[in-house]
Amino acid sequence: MSQEQSYTIEEVAQLLKVSKLTIYDLVKKGDLPVFRVGRQMRVDRADLQSYIQKRKTGATPPAVTSPPKSQQKIIISGQDFVLDLLAKYIEKRQAIKVLRSHEGSLNGVMAMYNGECDIASLHMYDGDSGDYNTPYLKKIFVSHAFLLINVITRRAGFYVQKGNPLHIHSFDDFKTRSFQLINREKGSGARTLLDEQLRIHQIKPSTIKGYDNEGRSHIDVASAVANGHADIGIGIEKIAKLMNIDFVPVVKERYDIVLFKTVENEALIRAVKEILTAADFQAEVAALGDYDISQMGQIIYETL
């Protein structure tokens, strides 16, 4: 199918003279089918015409009942393995289909803001407060009611080659020595940690070799270090072990999920809370190793 026979979400909104949020809502409810080209959602011209025809005056009005649970879908954004387990447990408990989107923290949050996902995970460090996630969500979701729940705590730090031959131990090493960095994309939690630490330590990004070289995941970064294409990257402990490279811990980071507090989300929120505090789920996560589950299921922040 060519893109000339389809429309972007923005183009559909312009054609129907409504906001993009209205179109995203139609997509989420399953009223308007979409397909993806890369990261972009598009609407087939025939599907748009069918949607319009069904809602013309005199046409048989569409049923207003909700689709059966077996047809309902939600999207969870994030890359950590524990989210795959959460998706499995939600499907079992709620009998709904859970899709996974592997966006970084900020991109996942913005997808949720735009109605493109239902649960967003994030691990975004704020250098001014030393806190994770809450300072960012308070600004982004300023007009939305939301709930922030902890999933795990894990160690983040430097990926270095086996044996740490360059003896890299802290961000201060960037001030006096030169390393080849493999970075993460803007908006990822690892990139946020790096940029905030560089700001705190008053290190200019332009002085770091490879700052503009980006990997799209922890595995991409760890692989670049393992293959000798970079001396250092930022990531989490578990991936370093999987890729058989050394890991220099820098910080314990809180990995949370956020959901909007809406009437439609009440059952989902209740299910997520029950899953995260259930002994069987916690035991399965703990068995993965390298995760601290002591705060799992705790409400970190909740709007009124």
Side-chain angles (χ1 to χ4, degrees):
M1 181 186 302
S2 68
Q3 292 193 11
E4 287 77 11
Q5 295 176 303
S6 64
Y7 305 101
T8 65
I9 295 296
E10 184 174 4
E11 288 170 339
V12 174
Q14 292 173 350
L15 287 169
L16 298 182
K17 302 295 190 293
V18 297
S19 71
K20 287 196 295 183
L21 288 179
T22 298
I23 304 303
Y24 283 125
D25 188 54
L26 292 175
V27 172
K28 183 176 178 180
K29 291 178 179 177
D31 293 338
L32 187 61
V34 297
F35 65 96
R36 288 186 178 272
V37 178
R39 294 171 57 190
Q40 185 187 73
M41 287 195 298
R42 300 190 69 88
V43 178
D44 180 18
R45 180 170 59 186
D47 288 331
L48 178 60
Q49 292 173 342
S50 175
Y51 172 82
I52 294 172
Q53 182 63 35
K54 289 177 182 177
R55 282 151 183 81
K56 283 185 176 180
T57 302
T60 303
V64 295
T65 56
S66 298
K69 280 192 174 182
S70 60
Q71 296 179 16
Q72 292 180 0
K73 298 180 179 67
I74 67 166
I75 299 175
I76 300 178
S77 174
Q79 298 182 357
D80 199 281
F81 300 142
V82 73
L83 298 177
D84 298 323
L85 284 179
L86 179 60
K88 181 183 73 173
Y89 273 73
I90 291 175
E91 285 188 335
K92 183 178 179 180
R93 182 179 292 260
Q94 295 295 103
I96 58 178
K97 180 66 175 176
V98 180
L99 305 178
R100 293 281 284 108
S101 169
H102 295 85
E103 294 286 359
S105 294
L106 182 59
N107 288 336
V109 168
M110 294 311 299
M112 184 172 158
Y113 183 90
N114 289 324
E116 296 175 358
C117 81
D118 303 275
I119 301 175
S121 65
L122 64 162
H123 56 111
M124 298 182 67
Y125 175 74
D126 176 59
D128 293 325
S129 65
D131 194 12
Y132 267 85
N133 304 328
T134 311
Y136 293 95
L137 293 181
K138 284 182 176 179
K139 295 178 180 178
I140 296 171
F141 291 158
V142 64
S143 299
H144 294 76
F146 66 90
L147 180 72
L148 184 67
I149 308 174
N150 177 251
V151 179
I152 52 172
T153 302
R154 61 190 191 183
R155 296 203 299 180
F158 301 139
Y159 293 152
V160 296
Q161 293 168 13
K162 201 68 176 175
N164 194 7
L166 298 179
H167 306 289
I168 302 171
H169 297 292
S170 73
F171 283 97
D172 283 326
D173 291 331
F174 283 104
K175 291 182 176 180
T176 56
R177 300 158 63 195
S178 180
F179 311 114
Q180 182 68 41
L181 173 72
I182 174 70
N183 210 342
R184 281 291 304 280
E185 78 279 9
K186 295 179 181 68
S188 67
R191 177 63 170 266
T192 303
L193 174 62
L194 173 65
D195 286 345
E196 285 292 87
Q197 290 290 348
L198 293 180
R199 179 176 67 84
I200 291 170
H201 288 81
Q202 297 183 323
I203 302 170
K204 292 182 179 180
S206 60
T207 65
I208 300 176
K209 290 193 304 182
Y211 178 84
D212 293 324
N213 296 334
E214 299 178 352
R216 290 288 303 175
S217 69
H218 293 296
I219 291 179
D220 287 346
V221 173
S223 178
V225 173
N227 293 330
H229 300 312
D231 299 317
I232 184 173
I234 306 294
I236 61 172
E237 183 176 18
K238 174 171 284 297
I239 301 300
K241 292 183 177 180
L242 289 176
M243 300 298 293
N244 195 31
I245 56 176
D246 277 8
F247 177 76
V248 180
V250 172
V251 64
K252 290 189 72 174
E253 65 177 18
R254 207 181 66 230
Y255 192 78
D256 302 326
I257 55 173
V258 60
L259 302 91
F260 284 142
K261 289 176 60 178
T262 62
V263 173
E264 294 79 8
N265 272 356
E266 286 180 356
L268 178 60
I269 290 173
R270 184 165 56 252
V272 168
K273 286 180 178 178
E274 292 173 355
I275 291 168
L276 292 177
T277 55
D280 57 343
F281 181 79
Q282 293 192 358
E284 194 165 352
V285 173
L288 294 173
D290 303 311
Y291 291 137
D292 178 354
I293 62 170
S294 59
Q295 287 186 285
M296 181 180 285
Q298 289 187 20
I299 298 174
I300 302 301
Y301 183 82
E302 182 176 9
T303 57
L304 297 177

